[in-house]
Amino acid sequence: MPPVRTVPSRRSRRLSTQEIDDDDWESCGDLLYPDSDAEPTISEPTSPIVLPAATSSPHTSSTVHSTAGSVRTSHARQRSRDHIPRPPNAFICFRSDYCLLEKQKSDGQRDHRFVSKDAAAAWHQSSEAVKTKYKLIAREKKQQHAQMYPGYTYSPGSPRGSGGKGKKRKADDDWDYEECIPRSKPRRGSRAVAKPLRAAPAPKSKRTGRSTRKRSRVVAAPSAPSPDIERSETPELSPNTSVESPHSELGTPVDAFHPTFDEDDFVPTACIPHLNLDATNENKDLTPGEATLAGHEVIYKAGTSEETRDAFPFFRPDGTYYAPAYYASASVPSPIDSGSSASAPSPTDSSSSSDEDTELMPFNYKEVQFTNPFAIEFEDLIDVDRLY
DNA sequence: CCGAATGAAAA
DNA sequence: TTTTCATTCGG
């Protein structure tokens, strides 16, 4: 593999699927998500895309990428051949999962502008646990990216060609706290404001200077090691070949929120679960940065499935990291730090002969509960007697 | 190519 | 503070 380097390019036409060679695809590794499949329609049983093991979302898996036959759709933004994409942030990861799951459940193709809106609503409604999960996933992606492209520096193109007239980004304060749903938040200038999505194509014109935009590129990575090395060290997920939903019960966006409400629905306040804000978190001081569950203890409802439990990362009081199955198999390094060797062995080693909570209950966690509010009956949620 | 979202990173 | 771009795919 040649020294990693990207070149600004003109995007005069889009690549057809055949124009992407395998090397191209390989170079992206699992940092690009396969744009579904070549066929314009529905997902397929015969897709070459390897879905992650049942217990993992695509983002927790270290090897979710296409096999040789995979192609990206023509909808992929055209970039220069060696363009290195940015690592996805937490929301993008979340959205991808959301998208994937949604596609799974409904064959109808959705306008992704709506998908984005729904995903954002789900994101805002998500528990801190879920958000934390995706933050960790994003962090892992970022680390992989750094290893794969040492020396990479994000260098966004100049604002809209040249002249000032860049897109203004609205302050992110337009939030409907009453209803807990995001208002339309035009972030890229007035053009996007309240434009009816189905409306006739607005006069497009303008933006002819767009093609001259600069692309991100790597700033000189003279001795970039072959990414393949690193990737080969990443263990495949265990041969759990069951082909169910790649998503855990709670760790996924769709399960948490999508099925419950329609597109334009908002979540009634009454349906928002009560968080136990009084719960103490003994580990609080030991979970630096974002790698915390936001000060909330995560407690399981009795009978919570193993999958759900595994969706969370935990920290021991001594600061060691308890990697749930997902993260362990995805070889996610301890978010706590890198120096300390001690990533504690996963308690899941106990082979879980029983499904008792106590078997897998992470260490000193009191029994509190934070479950996917929409996955169970609301009455079940407030089983106070059981909790305290 | 645009847009719809949020967030990281750079200018 | 403001801008791009990461993902996704119908329009």
Side-chain angles (χ1 to χ4, degrees), chain A residues 184-200:
Chain A
S184 181
K185 295 203 277 184
R187 311 172 99 226
R188 289 160 102 97
S190 55
R191 184 171 8 89
V193 177
K195 173 190 168 191
L197 297 179
R198 271 183 306 282

Side-chain angles (χ1 to χ4, degrees), chain A residues 98-352:
Chain A
Y98 186 94
C99 200
L100 199 71
L101 249 193
E102 194 185 69
K103 183 165 63 168
Q104 209 171 71
K105 57 181 312 186
S106 66
D107 281 352
Q109 305 296 323
R110 281 245 283 158
D111 189 326
H112 276 248
R113 288 172 291 180
F114 287 123
V115 173
S116 289
K117 283 189 162 301
D118 291 347
W123 177 254
H124 284 113
Q125 288 290 320
S126 286
S127 67
E128 287 302 321
V130 170
K131 287 179 181 169
T132 298
K133 176 185 173 181
Y134 280 92
K135 284 177 186 173
L136 291 173
I137 291 169
R139 181 187 300 190
E140 181 202 8
K141 291 284 176 189
K142 190 175 159 189
Q143 288 172 358
Q144 290 178 2
H145 188 277
Q147 297 213 5
M148 214 185 285
Y149 309 108
Y152 169 86
T153 303
Y154 169 57
S155 50
S158 52
R160 276 297 85 78
S162 56
K165 119 115 163 208
K167 298 176 178 179
K168 296 300 189 227
R169 182 177 182 170
K170 192 175 182 298
D172 290 337
D173 54 1
D174 192 8
W175 180 263
D176 191 331
Y177 292 97
E178 188 84 26
E179 298 185 347
C180 279
I181 55 169
R183 287 200 188 117
S184 181
K185 295 203 277 184
R187 311 172 99 226
R188 289 160 102 97
S190 55
R191 184 171 8 89
V193 177
K195 173 190 168 191
L197 297 179
R198 271 183 306 282
K204 28 224 233 113
S205 73
K206 54 175 61 175
R207 75 159 66 286
T208 35
R210 183 166 232 257
S211 59
T212 63
R213 212 169 19 150
K214 288 182 246 165
R215 320 299 327 174
S216 308
R217 77 210 61 176
V218 160
V219 166
S223 56
S226 168
D228 292 332
I229 296 175
E230 179 53 36
R231 219 166 340 128
S232 62
E233 291 173 350
T234 323
E236 298 274 342
L237 280 182
S238 65
N240 182 352
T241 50
S242 70
V243 201
E244 0 172 327
S245 163
H247 304 273
S248 68
E249 173 179 321
L250 177 104
T252 73
V254 169
D255 280 340
F257 302 104
H258 178 64
T260 313
F261 301 102
D262 288 337
E263 212 164 66
D264 295 329
D265 274 352
F266 61 90
V267 178
T269 309
C271 290
I272 300 175
H274 299 287
L275 283 179
N276 179 12
L277 297 178
D278 294 328
T280 61
N281 186 351
E282 297 147 348
N283 299 336
K284 203 184 311 179
D285 297 332
L286 301 169
T287 58
E290 302 167 334
T292 170
L293 298 182
H296 296 294
E297 290 199 72
V298 176
I299 323 244
Y300 301 122
K301 179 176 183 292
T304 299
S305 76
E306 186 175 335
E307 279 189 342
T308 298
R309 291 194 297 263
D310 286 348
F312 298 96
F314 294 105
F315 300 92
R316 291 207 184 95
D318 62 2
T320 55
Y321 176 55
Y322 155 50
Y326 292 170
Y327 296 95
S329 61
S331 73
V332 180
S334 166
I336 287 280
D337 75 34
S338 32
S340 133
S341 57
S343 194
S346 169
T348 53
D349 301 341
S350 56
S351 264
S352 68

